[in-house]
Amino acid sequence: MVLNIVKYGDSILETECAQVTRFNTPELRKLIDDMFETMYAARGVGLAAPQINVGQQLTVIDTSSGEDPTAKLVLINPKIVKRQGQQIGEEGCLSIPGFREDVRRAAHVTVQAQDVEGNSFEVNGDELLARALQHEIDHLHGILFLNHLSPLKRDLIRRKIKKLHKAGEW
Ligand code: NI
């Protein structure tokens, strides 16, 4: 089922998410399936639970956009345990449609997470995957890519969104 994606302005996007404590339930599996479906429908490479109004530490990522089944990642209670190097590249967010900006991120990250059954695993990412991992894990702590921009750029985007909101276009 394709779910509604919450847009910037909703407080859930800027709220710390709770840890997932119940694993291997039909509800969790359904939620993950729905998140992948929603992400593919919106042509995104990552989606975090707060973006579909669920305040839990869960995110899905697929940097192959559905081309490679082995690229599908489900990360529950993920933590970045290692960061190396830097990269600057354009980033967008399904909750902030129409806005893309350069964001500085680590070039390489190692993430520890749990799978749907609660088993711990580690994933390493470079380039786009490293960027997606950092962007999505930020979401689970109420942090948006806007928080990584200069105050000037951030305020400019906020003002534009306010205008769109007033016009009923947000
Ligand atoms: Ni996002």
Side-chain angles (χ1 to χ4, degrees):
M1 186 171 70
V2 174
L3 305 168
N4 188 42
I5 296 178
V6 170
K7 278 187 183 168
Y8 178 71
D10 192 311
S11 62
I12 195 163
L13 292 176
E14 294 178 271
T15 304
E16 174 80 17
C17 293
Q19 292 242 323
V20 173
T21 54
R22 296 186 65 224
F23 295 88
N24 218 0
T25 62
E27 294 78 17
L28 186 59
R29 287 180 188 279
K30 171 86 165 85
L31 181 61
I32 290 165
D33 285 348
D34 287 347
M35 284 176 68
F36 273 113
E37 210 179 321
T38 304
M39 180 183 78
Y40 292 134
R43 296 174 183 279
V45 297
L47 186 73
Q51 293 183 275
I52 44 113
N53 208 29
V54 173
Q56 292 190 30
Q57 293 194 21
L58 162 64
T59 177
V60 298
I61 292 174
D62 181 357
T63 54
S64 83
S65 304
E67 294 291 310
D68 174 8
T70 66
K72 283 176 82 170
L73 271 177
V74 176
L75 302 165
I76 300 175
N77 303 328
K79 263 198 198 94
I80 297 174
V81 293
K82 196 168 160 192
R83 303 167 188 264
Q84 282 178 312
Q86 282 196 348
Q87 57 168 325
I88 295 175
E90 209 179 45
E91 217 166 284
C93 180
L94 294 177
S95 294
I96 314 173
F99 295 92
R100 297 185 68 83
E101 291 290 339
D102 278 348
V103 179
R104 186 191 301 270
R105 298 282 189 185
H108 175 93
V109 292
T110 303
V111 171
Q112 265 173 16
Q114 284 168 283
D115 65 16
V116 69
E117 292 172 342
N119 303 309
S120 294
F121 68 99
E122 229 175 61
V123 57
N124 290 293
D126 295 305
E127 299 175 14
L128 178 60
L129 179 56
R131 180 171 295 284
L133 287 164
Q134 292 167 84
H135 179 112
E136 299 312 326
I137 292 171
D138 266 358
H139 268 300
L140 307 181
H141 303 288
I143 298 165
L144 302 169
F145 84 83
L146 298 183
N147 298 97
H148 292 282
L149 305 179
S150 70
L152 203 72
K153 261 195 182 148
R154 189 162 57 234
D155 286 348
L156 189 69
I157 292 176
R158 278 202 188 123
R159 277 204 297 276
K160 283 182 182 166
I161 292 173
K162 248 185 205 165
K163 264 190 200 160
L164 288 170
H165 195 82
K166 264 188 193 163
E169 291 164 14
W170 190 256

Short mmCIF file of all heavy atoms in Angstrom, two decimals, residues 13 46-48 51 91-96 135-136 139 143-145, ligand 1:
data_model
loop_
_atom_site.label_atom_id
_atom_site.label_comp_id
_atom_site.label_asym_id
_atom_site.label_seq_id
_atom_site.Cartn_x
_atom_site.Cartn_y
_atom_site.Cartn_z
N LEU A 13 8.54 15.28 11.73
CA LEU A 13 9.82 15.26 10.99
C LEU A 13 10.97 15.85 11.79
O LEU A 13 12.13 15.67 11.43
CB LEU A 13 9.67 16.04 9.67
CG LEU A 13 8.76 15.42 8.62
CD1 LEU A 13 8.65 16.35 7.42
CD2 LEU A 13 9.28 14.06 8.18
N GLY A 46 15.46 6.49 -0.58
CA GLY A 46 15.39 6.20 0.85
C GLY A 46 14.11 6.78 1.44
O GLY A 46 13.57 7.76 0.91
N LEU A 47 13.62 6.12 2.48
CA LEU A 47 12.43 6.64 3.18
C LEU A 47 12.53 6.24 4.64
O LEU A 47 12.84 5.08 4.97
CB LEU A 47 11.16 6.05 2.55
CG LEU A 47 9.83 6.60 3.08
CD1 LEU A 47 9.58 8.03 2.59
CD2 LEU A 47 8.65 5.71 2.67
N ALA A 48 12.29 7.20 5.51
CA ALA A 48 12.36 6.95 6.95
C ALA A 48 10.94 6.95 7.54
O ALA A 48 10.06 7.65 7.04
CB ALA A 48 13.20 8.02 7.63
N GLN A 51 8.60 9.89 7.99
CA GLN A 51 8.06 10.48 6.75
C GLN A 51 6.70 9.89 6.38
O GLN A 51 6.00 10.45 5.53
CB GLN A 51 9.03 10.26 5.59
CG GLN A 51 10.33 11.03 5.76
CD GLN A 51 11.23 10.86 4.56
OE1 GLN A 51 11.97 9.90 4.47
NE2 GLN A 51 11.13 11.78 3.61
N GLU A 91 21.44 17.01 -2.70
CA GLU A 91 20.55 16.15 -1.93
C GLU A 91 19.13 16.72 -1.95
O GLU A 91 18.95 17.93 -1.94
CB GLU A 91 21.06 16.14 -0.49
CG GLU A 91 20.93 14.80 0.20
CD GLU A 91 21.75 14.75 1.46
OE1 GLU A 91 22.99 14.61 1.40
OE2 GLU A 91 21.13 14.83 2.53
N GLY A 92 18.17 15.83 -1.97
CA GLY A 92 16.79 16.24 -1.85
C GLY A 92 16.11 15.36 -0.82
O GLY A 92 16.76 14.51 -0.22
N CYS A 93 14.83 15.57 -0.61
CA CYS A 93 14.10 14.80 0.39
C CYS A 93 12.64 14.71 -0.05
O CYS A 93 12.07 15.70 -0.48
CB CYS A 93 14.19 15.50 1.74
SG CYS A 93 13.31 14.64 3.06
N LEU A 94 12.06 13.51 0.04
CA LEU A 94 10.66 13.33 -0.38
C LEU A 94 9.71 14.19 0.46
O LEU A 94 8.60 14.48 0.02
CB LEU A 94 10.26 11.85 -0.28
CG LEU A 94 10.99 10.90 -1.25
CD1 LEU A 94 10.56 9.47 -0.99
CD2 LEU A 94 10.74 11.30 -2.70
N SER A 95 10.15 14.61 1.64
CA SER A 95 9.31 15.47 2.50
C SER A 95 9.51 16.95 2.21
O SER A 95 8.81 17.79 2.78
CB SER A 95 9.60 15.19 3.97
OG SER A 95 9.19 13.88 4.31
N ILE A 96 10.48 17.25 1.33
CA ILE A 96 10.74 18.65 0.96
C ILE A 96 10.82 18.72 -0.56
O ILE A 96 11.86 19.05 -1.14
CB ILE A 96 12.06 19.16 1.62
CG1 ILE A 96 12.11 18.75 3.11
CG2 ILE A 96 12.19 20.68 1.49
CD1 ILE A 96 13.43 19.05 3.80
N HIS A 135 21.54 10.56 5.46
CA HIS A 135 20.30 11.33 5.33
C HIS A 135 19.16 10.64 6.08
O HIS A 135 18.42 11.27 6.84
CB HIS A 135 19.96 11.49 3.84
CG HIS A 135 18.69 12.23 3.56
ND1 HIS A 135 18.67 13.47 2.96
CD2 HIS A 135 17.39 11.91 3.79
CE1 HIS A 135 17.41 13.88 2.85
NE2 HIS A 135 16.60 12.94 3.33
N GLU A 136 19.02 9.32 5.86
CA GLU A 136 17.89 8.59 6.46
C GLU A 136 18.06 8.44 7.98
O GLU A 136 17.08 8.55 8.72
CB GLU A 136 17.71 7.22 5.80
CG GLU A 136 17.40 7.25 4.31
CD GLU A 136 16.29 8.21 3.92
OE1 GLU A 136 15.34 8.40 4.70
OE2 GLU A 136 16.39 8.80 2.82
N HIS A 139 16.99 11.47 9.72
CA HIS A 139 15.52 11.55 9.86
C HIS A 139 15.05 10.94 11.17
O HIS A 139 14.08 11.41 11.77
CB HIS A 139 14.83 10.78 8.72
CG HIS A 139 14.50 11.61 7.52
ND1 HIS A 139 13.68 12.71 7.56
CD2 HIS A 139 14.87 11.48 6.22
CE1 HIS A 139 13.55 13.23 6.34
NE2 HIS A 139 14.27 12.50 5.50
N ILE A 143 16.34 15.22 12.24
CA ILE A 143 17.23 16.13 11.51
C ILE A 143 16.97 16.01 10.01
O ILE A 143 16.89 14.91 9.46
CB ILE A 143 18.71 15.79 11.83
CG1 ILE A 143 18.96 15.98 13.34
CG2 ILE A 143 19.66 16.65 11.01
CD1 ILE A 143 20.25 15.36 13.82
N LEU A 144 16.82 17.15 9.36
CA LEU A 144 16.56 17.20 7.92
C LEU A 144 17.79 17.75 7.20
O LEU A 144 18.65 18.39 7.82
CB LEU A 144 15.35 18.09 7.65
CG LEU A 144 14.07 17.64 8.37
CD1 LEU A 144 13.00 18.72 8.28
CD2 LEU A 144 13.57 16.33 7.77
N PHE A 145 17.85 17.54 5.87
CA PHE A 145 19.04 18.06 5.16
C PHE A 145 19.14 19.57 5.28
O PHE A 145 20.23 20.14 5.21
CB PHE A 145 19.10 17.55 3.70
CG PHE A 145 18.30 18.32 2.69
CD1 PHE A 145 18.81 19.50 2.12
CD2 PHE A 145 17.07 17.88 2.28
CE1 PHE A 145 18.09 20.20 1.17
CE2 PHE A 145 16.33 18.59 1.33
CZ PHE A 145 16.84 19.75 0.79
NI NI B 1 14.57 12.81 3.46
#
